[in-house]
Amino acid sequence: MMHKEIAAGLNLPSLEKGWVWLVGAGPGDPGLITALGLQALAQADVILYDALVDEHLLTLSTAEKIYAGKRAGVRSCKQDEISETLVALAKEGKRVLRLKGGDPFVFGRGGEEAQALAHAGVPFRIVPGVTAGIGGLAYAGIPVTHRDTNHAVTFITGHGIDGKLTKMDWAAVSRGAPTLVLYMARRFAAEISQALLAAGRKPDEPVAIVANAARSDQQVIVTTLSDLAAAAENAPSLAIIVIGENVRLAEELSWLAKTRP
Ligand code: SAH
Protein backbone atom coordinates (compact mmCIF):
# COMPACT_ATOMS: atom_id res chain seq x y z
CA MET A 1 0.00 0.00 0.00
CA MET A 2 1.19 3.51 -0.77
CA HIS A 3 1.95 5.86 2.11
CA LYS A 4 -0.86 8.16 1.02
CA GLU A 5 -3.42 5.37 1.16
CA ILE A 6 -2.27 4.38 4.62
CA ALA A 7 -2.50 7.99 5.81
CA ALA A 8 -6.00 8.27 4.28
CA GLY A 9 -6.98 5.07 6.08
CA LEU A 10 -6.11 6.68 9.39
CA ASN A 11 -8.84 9.33 8.95
CA LEU A 12 -6.62 11.97 10.50
CA PRO A 13 -8.16 15.26 11.58
CA SER A 14 -7.34 18.31 9.46
CA LEU A 15 -5.42 21.35 10.61
CA GLU A 16 -8.24 23.88 10.28
CA LYS A 17 -8.04 27.63 9.72
CA GLY A 18 -7.51 29.55 12.93
CA TRP A 19 -6.12 26.51 14.72
CA VAL A 20 -2.66 25.89 16.16
CA TRP A 21 -1.15 22.43 16.27
CA LEU A 22 1.71 22.06 18.73
CA VAL A 23 3.71 19.21 17.25
CA GLY A 24 6.73 17.26 18.41
CA ALA A 25 9.17 16.52 15.60
CA GLY A 26 11.22 13.93 17.50
CA PRO A 27 14.90 14.16 18.40
CA GLY A 28 16.51 14.15 14.96
CA ASP A 29 15.81 11.43 12.43
CA PRO A 30 12.99 12.96 10.36
CA GLY A 31 11.38 9.52 10.12
CA LEU A 32 10.41 9.81 13.77
CA ILE A 33 7.73 12.42 13.14
CA THR A 34 4.20 11.10 13.65
CA ALA A 35 1.48 10.74 11.03
CA LEU A 36 -0.31 13.69 12.62
CA GLY A 37 2.90 15.68 12.38
CA LEU A 38 3.15 14.94 8.65
CA GLN A 39 -0.49 15.95 8.24
CA ALA A 40 0.30 19.30 9.86
CA LEU A 41 3.36 19.78 7.61
CA ALA A 42 1.20 19.16 4.57
CA GLN A 43 -1.67 21.45 5.62
CA ALA A 44 -0.07 24.36 7.50
CA ASP A 45 -0.01 27.91 6.12
CA VAL A 46 2.75 28.90 8.50
CA ILE A 47 5.27 26.99 10.62
CA LEU A 48 7.01 28.34 13.70
CA TYR A 49 9.92 26.01 14.32
CA ASP A 50 12.63 25.83 16.90
CA ALA A 51 16.36 25.25 16.68
CA LEU A 52 16.18 21.49 17.27
CA VAL A 53 13.88 20.69 14.35
CA ASP A 54 15.45 18.73 11.49
CA GLU A 55 15.84 21.01 8.46
CA HIS A 56 14.92 18.32 5.99
CA LEU A 57 11.44 18.06 7.53
CA LEU A 58 10.91 21.78 6.92
CA THR A 59 11.86 21.52 3.26
CA LEU A 60 8.95 19.12 2.76
CA SER A 61 6.44 21.87 3.43
CA THR A 62 5.56 24.85 1.23
CA ALA A 63 4.26 26.81 4.24
CA GLU A 64 5.77 30.10 5.35
CA LYS A 65 8.51 29.32 7.88
CA ILE A 66 9.35 31.43 10.90
CA TYR A 67 12.32 30.60 13.09
CA ALA A 68 11.37 30.79 16.74
CA GLY A 69 14.37 29.20 18.32
CA LYS A 70 16.03 29.70 21.63
CA ARG A 71 19.36 28.46 22.81
CA ALA A 72 20.65 28.39 26.36
CA GLY A 73 22.29 31.75 26.92
CA VAL A 74 21.25 33.19 23.57
CA ARG A 75 17.76 34.63 23.82
CA SER A 76 17.13 34.95 20.13
CA CYS A 77 13.40 34.83 20.60
CA LYS A 78 11.50 35.50 23.80
CA GLN A 79 8.91 32.99 24.94
CA ASP A 80 6.18 35.64 25.24
CA GLU A 81 6.81 36.78 21.67
CA ILE A 82 6.48 33.22 20.38
CA SER A 83 3.16 32.77 22.18
CA GLU A 84 1.91 36.16 20.96
CA THR A 85 2.86 35.32 17.37
CA LEU A 86 1.01 31.99 17.59
CA VAL A 87 -2.12 33.74 18.86
CA ALA A 88 -1.90 36.53 16.25
CA LEU A 89 -1.43 34.14 13.31
CA ALA A 90 -4.34 31.97 14.44
CA LYS A 91 -6.57 35.03 14.83
CA GLU A 92 -5.68 36.00 11.26
CA GLY A 93 -7.24 32.71 10.25
CA LYS A 94 -4.01 30.91 9.42
CA ARG A 95 -3.44 27.20 9.84
CA VAL A 96 -0.55 27.32 12.28
CA LEU A 97 1.99 24.60 12.98
CA ARG A 98 4.23 25.07 15.99
CA LEU A 99 6.97 22.50 15.45
CA LYS A 100 9.28 21.67 18.32
CA GLY A 101 12.12 19.22 18.83
CA GLY A 102 11.33 16.00 20.66
CA ASP A 103 8.02 16.13 22.51
CA PRO A 104 6.43 19.56 22.99
CA PHE A 105 5.48 18.85 26.60
CA VAL A 106 8.86 17.52 27.75
CA PHE A 107 11.13 20.38 28.84
CA GLY A 108 10.01 22.21 25.73
CA ARG A 109 7.79 24.95 27.19
CA GLY A 110 4.92 23.61 25.12
CA GLY A 111 2.76 23.86 28.22
CA GLU A 112 3.31 27.60 28.37
CA GLU A 113 2.46 28.05 24.71
CA ALA A 114 -0.68 25.96 25.11
CA GLN A 115 -1.66 28.09 28.13
CA ALA A 116 -1.31 31.24 26.05
CA LEU A 117 -3.52 29.74 23.36
CA ALA A 118 -6.09 28.63 25.94
CA HIS A 119 -6.17 32.10 27.52
CA ALA A 120 -6.63 33.73 24.11
CA GLY A 121 -9.41 31.32 23.18
CA VAL A 122 -7.45 29.90 20.22
CA PRO A 123 -8.33 26.26 19.47
CA PHE A 124 -5.34 23.93 19.51
CA ARG A 125 -4.25 20.31 19.30
CA ILE A 126 -1.20 18.77 20.98
CA VAL A 127 0.67 16.21 18.89
CA PRO A 128 3.17 14.39 21.10
CA GLY A 129 6.56 13.49 19.71
CA VAL A 130 9.40 11.11 20.47
CA THR A 131 11.37 12.70 23.28
CA ALA A 132 15.18 12.69 23.26
CA GLY A 133 15.30 11.10 26.71
CA ILE A 134 13.46 8.00 25.48
CA GLY A 135 13.81 7.79 21.69
CA GLY A 136 17.31 9.26 21.69
CA LEU A 137 18.40 6.58 24.13
CA ALA A 138 16.80 3.92 21.92
CA TYR A 139 19.00 5.15 19.06
CA ALA A 140 21.96 4.45 21.34
CA GLY A 141 20.68 0.96 22.18
CA ILE A 142 19.72 1.94 25.74
CA PRO A 143 16.24 0.81 26.87
CA VAL A 144 14.93 3.55 29.15
CA THR A 145 13.56 0.81 31.41
CA HIS A 146 14.63 -2.80 31.57
CA ARG A 147 13.36 -5.50 33.89
CA ASP A 148 16.79 -6.52 35.13
CA THR A 149 18.10 -3.02 35.78
CA ASN A 150 15.45 -0.42 36.62
CA HIS A 151 11.76 -0.34 37.38
CA ALA A 152 11.58 3.41 37.32
CA VAL A 153 13.09 6.31 35.48
CA THR A 154 13.42 9.95 36.48
CA PHE A 155 13.60 12.78 33.94
CA ILE A 156 15.42 15.89 35.11
CA THR A 157 16.43 19.15 33.50
CA GLY A 158 19.94 20.26 34.41
CA HIS A 159 19.05 23.91 34.54
CA GLY A 160 15.99 26.07 34.96
CA ILE A 161 14.94 29.42 33.49
CA ASP A 162 17.73 31.21 35.40
CA GLY A 163 20.39 29.06 33.69
CA LYS A 164 21.61 27.71 37.05
CA LEU A 165 21.75 24.10 38.21
CA THR A 166 18.20 22.91 38.98
CA LYS A 167 17.44 23.27 42.66
CA MET A 168 16.32 19.92 43.97
CA ASP A 169 17.03 17.39 46.66
CA TRP A 170 19.81 15.56 44.84
CA ALA A 171 20.30 13.20 47.80
CA ALA A 172 16.67 12.11 47.57
CA VAL A 173 16.97 11.74 43.80
CA SER A 174 20.09 9.68 44.32
CA ARG A 175 18.32 7.30 46.69
CA GLY A 176 14.99 7.11 44.89
CA ALA A 177 15.87 7.10 41.21
CA PRO A 178 17.57 3.97 39.84
CA THR A 179 17.94 5.59 36.41
CA LEU A 180 18.28 9.31 35.82
CA VAL A 181 17.78 10.83 32.40
CA LEU A 182 19.15 14.36 32.31
CA TYR A 183 18.26 16.99 29.71
CA MET A 184 20.20 20.25 29.36
CA ALA A 185 22.72 18.97 31.87
CA ARG A 186 26.06 18.83 30.08
CA ARG A 187 27.27 22.13 31.54
CA PHE A 188 26.43 20.93 35.05
CA ALA A 189 27.79 17.40 34.74
CA ALA A 190 30.50 18.08 37.35
CA GLU A 191 28.06 19.45 39.96
CA ILE A 192 25.51 16.72 39.32
CA SER A 193 28.00 13.87 39.56
CA GLN A 194 29.50 15.36 42.74
CA ALA A 195 26.07 15.65 44.33
CA LEU A 196 25.16 12.07 43.42
CA LEU A 197 28.49 10.67 44.62
CA ALA A 198 28.18 12.61 47.88
CA ALA A 199 24.75 11.02 48.35
CA GLY A 200 26.20 7.55 47.97
CA ARG A 201 25.90 6.59 44.29
CA LYS A 202 28.75 4.32 43.24
CA PRO A 203 31.69 5.91 41.39
CA ASP A 204 31.72 3.08 38.84
CA GLU A 205 28.01 3.36 38.03
CA PRO A 206 27.65 3.38 34.23
CA VAL A 207 26.79 6.63 32.51
CA ALA A 208 26.17 7.41 28.85
CA ILE A 209 26.31 10.76 27.15
CA VAL A 210 24.14 10.44 24.06
CA ALA A 211 25.01 13.41 21.88
CA ASN A 212 23.18 14.42 18.70
CA ALA A 213 20.92 11.43 19.27
CA ALA A 214 19.09 10.09 16.21
CA ARG A 215 21.07 12.45 13.96
CA SER A 216 23.65 11.54 11.36
CA ASP A 217 26.40 12.69 13.75
CA GLN A 218 25.16 10.75 16.78
CA GLN A 219 27.87 10.06 19.33
CA VAL A 220 27.54 7.79 22.36
CA ILE A 221 30.14 8.17 25.09
CA VAL A 222 29.97 5.50 27.77
CA THR A 223 31.72 6.38 31.02
CA THR A 224 31.25 6.14 34.79
CA LEU A 225 29.83 8.52 37.36
CA SER A 226 33.29 9.42 38.64
CA ASP A 227 34.54 10.22 35.12
CA LEU A 228 31.38 11.99 33.96
CA ALA A 229 32.64 15.55 34.37
CA ALA A 230 35.70 15.00 32.17
CA ALA A 231 33.73 13.08 29.55
CA ALA A 232 31.05 15.78 29.40
CA GLU A 233 33.61 18.50 28.80
CA ASN A 234 34.64 16.88 25.53
CA ALA A 235 31.14 15.92 24.40
CA PRO A 236 29.07 17.81 21.81
CA SER A 237 26.68 20.28 23.40
CA LEU A 238 23.36 18.68 22.36
CA ALA A 239 23.32 15.75 24.72
CA ILE A 240 21.26 13.58 27.03
CA ILE A 241 23.06 12.15 30.05
CA VAL A 242 21.75 8.84 31.38
CA ILE A 243 22.94 7.42 34.67
CA GLY A 244 22.04 3.87 35.69
CA GLU A 245 22.59 0.17 35.21
CA ASN A 246 20.45 0.11 32.03
CA VAL A 247 23.33 1.92 30.28
CA ARG A 248 25.24 -1.39 30.24
CA LEU A 249 22.80 -2.76 27.66
CA ALA A 250 24.20 -0.39 25.03
CA GLU A 251 27.12 -2.71 24.53
CA GLU A 252 24.84 -5.48 23.32
CA LEU A 253 22.02 -3.44 21.81
CA SER A 254 23.64 -0.56 19.96
CA TRP A 255 22.30 -1.02 16.45
CA LEU A 256 22.66 2.30 14.65
CA ALA A 257 26.28 1.98 13.59
CA LYS A 258 25.50 -1.47 12.23
CA THR A 259 22.78 -0.18 9.93
CA ARG A 260 25.08 2.34 8.28
CA PRO A 261 27.09 1.53 5.16
N1 SAH B 1 11.32 18.78 23.99
C1 SAH B 1 12.62 18.16 23.79
C2 SAH B 1 13.63 18.62 24.81
C3 SAH B 1 13.93 20.10 24.74
S1 SAH B 1 15.12 20.60 25.93
C4 SAH B 1 12.45 16.65 23.82
O1 SAH B 1 11.39 16.15 24.20
O2 SAH B 1 13.39 15.95 23.44
C5 SAH B 1 16.62 20.52 25.01
C6 SAH B 1 17.48 19.39 25.52
O3 SAH B 1 16.98 18.16 25.02
C7 SAH B 1 18.92 19.44 25.03
O4 SAH B 1 19.70 20.28 25.87
C8 SAH B 1 19.33 18.01 25.17
O5 SAH B 1 19.61 17.68 26.52
C9 SAH B 1 18.06 17.28 24.78
N2 SAH B 1 18.03 16.90 23.36
C10 SAH B 1 17.11 17.25 22.45
N3 SAH B 1 17.36 16.68 21.25
C11 SAH B 1 18.48 15.93 21.43
C12 SAH B 1 19.24 15.09 20.59
N4 SAH B 1 18.94 14.88 19.30
N5 SAH B 1 20.33 14.47 21.11
C13 SAH B 1 20.66 14.65 22.40
N6 SAH B 1 19.98 15.43 23.24
C14 SAH B 1 18.90 16.07 22.77
Side-chain angles (χ1 to χ4, degrees):
M1 219 194 294
M2 297 285 291
H3 280 200
K4 271 192 181 158
E5 292 173 46
I6 292 180
L10 288 174
N11 290 322
L12 298 172
S14 286
L15 170 47
E16 305 281 358
K17 286 183 177 176
W19 277 67
V20 178
W21 282 20
L22 228 79
V23 176
D29 187 341
L32 291 176
I33 194 158
T34 59
L36 281 165
L38 282 184
Q39 174 91 331
L41 272 178
Q43 297 180 338
D45 297 315
V46 52
I47 303 176
L48 268 87
Y49 64 98
D50 78 9
L52 295 176
V53 170
D54 179 83
E55 280 182 16
H56 183 64
L57 269 184
L58 295 169
T59 63
L60 300 177
S61 168
T62 54
E64 180 191 347
K65 285 146 205 145
I66 301 174
Y67 176 68
K70 281 182 287 148
R71 282 263 169 207
V74 190
R75 292 236 139 195
S76 40
C77 221
K78 291 206 189 77
Q79 188 60 47
D80 290 352
E81 286 171 18
I82 297 171
S83 297
E84 280 166 22
T85 308
L86 290 174
V87 169
L89 289 167
K91 295 224 154 155
E92 280 171 30
K94 298 263 168 61
R95 300 176 168 90
V96 186
L97 165 56
R98 173 67 172 125
L99 194 58
K100 298 169 84 78
D103 183 288
F105 275 3
V106 180
F107 303 130
R109 310 191 68 178
E112 283 154 74
E113 292 174 17
Q115 278 181 319
L117 297 171
H119 288 162
V122 171
F124 62 90
R125 168 181 283 270
I126 308 297
V127 179
V130 174
T131 188
I134 299 179
L137 300 195
Y139 268 59
I142 301 170
V144 73
T145 69
H146 185 68
R147 214 161 47 150
D148 299 336
T149 59
N150 62 305
H151 292 98
V153 59
T154 303
F155 298 101
I156 298 176
T157 171
H159 65 78
I161 273 179
D162 58 2
K164 297 200 183 109
L165 177 66
T166 308
K167 285 190 197 75
M168 62 168 71
D169 186 343
W170 287 97
V173 167
S174 169
R175 282 192 305 274
T179 288
L180 282 78
V181 175
L182 299 151
Y183 292 68
M184 294 179 274
R186 201 187 62 99
R187 275 196 296 143
F188 298 101
E191 285 98 319
I192 292 168
S193 58
Q194 267 166 25
L196 293 172
L197 288 168
R201 295 289 276 235
K202 293 203 177 66
D204 63 352
E205 179 163 6
V207 176
I209 301 171
V210 185
N212 300 320
R215 297 172 177 229
S216 54
D217 52 353
Q218 172 171 303
Q219 209 179 319
V220 183
I221 301 157
V222 176
T223 180
T224 59
L225 195 52
S226 57
D227 291 339
L228 170 58
E233 233 168 74
N234 299 315
S237 60
L238 185 67
I240 290 283
I241 298 175
V242 49
I243 302 170
E245 287 299 320
N246 56 330
V247 166
R248 289 192 202 282
L249 284 134
E251 202 179 320
E252 191 184 350
L253 301 183
S254 74
W255 54 271
L256 185 62
K258 290 165 196 151
T259 63
R260 293 233 186 94

